[in-house]
Amino acid sequence: MPVIKYPRIRDPLFYEWDKKAQKCGLRHTVYAVNGDQYTGEWLDNLKHGKGTQIWKSTGAIYSGDWKFGKRDGYGSYSIPDPVTKEYKRVYTGWWENDRRGGRGVFFYPNGEQYDGEWSNGLRSGWGQMHYKDGSVYEGQWLTDKPNGQGVLRLTNGNRYEGGWKDGKKHGPGKYFYTDKGQLLEGIWAADIPKCGVLVDFGRDNAPASTEFPLPEIELHDPAGVLAEARAMSDDSHN
């Protein structure tokens, strides 16, 4: 009986071509259709591991960790100066799911700087912000605004310590007028002091102290007054 030989079944050629095109492990620079380029590690055809990406449209560079095609881990992001063409750092720190997440330092174009925690690309957690006018805020943040407890130090030496909400002084707090040697302790709402007590504080060493000291005012129940004010503030939150 004759032996019939059947041809060996092979996958279509495009299967083999696609397999060879898959990116995995360390590769040299790979160019995208839009001109972007990436040099680094791959896994299952996705940027994964250490790598550097250059965006052609902006010239921006990211160098650091990648996870399944997204910036994730520790890395640095820089952009070229439009005049000098020299690269300037924008952010150095931790990333999560292609956004700033964790601890990192952000450098603003106007010279301001934030060093602290991030979540979903926004300042959230504990951080320190250096403003252009020289003032510094250190404390809690939520969705890119001071929120919680924090201290604002002004260039003239004055400072506020207390509660914040949506970027404004809110709740119990203390404002130190070191230039005048006075202290205001009270309750704030949307950046405005609603009630409180103003007393002399280090007046003898203040550079611009008032001519006469503040008169002492005796309150029968000062703690009760502040407690009532705090209760009113809590009611406004609800």
Side-chain angles (χ1 to χ4, degrees):
M1 182 177 179
V3 178
I4 302 176
K5 293 184 178 180
Y6 295 95
R8 186 162 56 109
I9 299 176
R10 299 185 60 182
D11 292 331
L13 284 177
F14 67 84
Y15 282 179
E16 185 178 350
W17 296 337
D18 184 65
K19 185 177 180 181
K20 290 181 178 180
Q22 293 296 310
K23 306 177 187 70
C24 190
L26 183 62
R27 283 211 170 199
H28 296 295
T29 302
V30 175
Y31 293 87
V33 176
N34 61 2
D36 296 347
Q37 62 185 70
Y38 172 81
T39 305
E41 297 175 304
W42 297 79
L43 178 65
D44 295 334
N45 218 29
L46 295 172
K47 306 179 186 93
H48 191 89
K50 301 288 185 181
T52 300
Q53 168 93 11
I54 302 177
W55 287 267
K56 183 179 180 180
S57 59
T58 61
I61 293 180
Y62 169 80
S63 181
D65 295 326
W66 297 79
K67 188 175 181 179
F68 301 118
K70 295 181 178 181
R71 291 168 291 186
D72 200 297
Y74 189 85
S76 181
Y77 180 81
S78 304
I79 59 174
D81 185 277
V83 178
T84 63
K85 305 303 180 183
E86 294 181 357
Y87 276 91
K88 301 172 62 176
R89 285 186 302 169
V90 175
Y91 176 77
T92 298
W94 293 91
W95 300 73
E96 293 178 355
N97 197 29
D98 219 32
R99 293 183 176 183
R100 293 183 292 274
R103 182 70 183 270
V105 183
F106 191 93
F107 303 90
Y108 293 84
N110 60 0
E112 296 180 345
Q113 178 180 320
Y114 172 80
D115 183 354
E117 297 176 303
W118 299 79
S119 179
N120 291 323
L122 302 175
R123 293 168 289 185
S124 291
W126 189 269
Q128 186 179 80
M129 182 74 188
H130 294 262
Y131 295 98
K132 184 172 61 175
D133 62 1
S135 59
V136 179
Y137 170 81
E138 183 174 3
Q140 294 174 303
W141 294 76
L142 181 65
T143 60
D144 236 23
K145 294 180 180 180
N147 202 96
Q149 294 295 311
V151 179
L152 176 66
R153 295 180 175 86
L154 305 179
T155 54
N156 60 3
N158 295 347
R159 73 181 187 275
Y160 168 81
E161 300 177 1
W164 296 80
K165 183 179 179 181
D166 296 330
K168 297 180 179 180
K169 305 176 192 70
H170 199 89
K174 299 178 181 179
Y175 200 106
F176 295 84
Y177 297 92
T178 56
D179 55 342
K180 296 181 180 180
Q182 295 178 336
L183 165 64
L184 173 61
E185 182 176 2
I187 306 296
W188 272 256
D191 247 2
I192 300 174
K194 294 297 184 179
C195 62
V197 178
L198 184 65
V199 298
D200 286 328
F201 185 85
R203 180 177 173 276
D204 294 338
N205 299 322
S209 61
T210 56
E211 184 177 357
F212 301 103
L214 290 171
E216 294 185 4
I217 300 177
E218 294 185 2
L219 296 176
H220 295 291
D221 186 16
V225 173
L226 288 177
E228 182 179 354
R230 290 190 178 95
M232 292 175 61
S233 175
D234 294 338
D235 292 338
S236 65
H237 293 173
N238 300 327

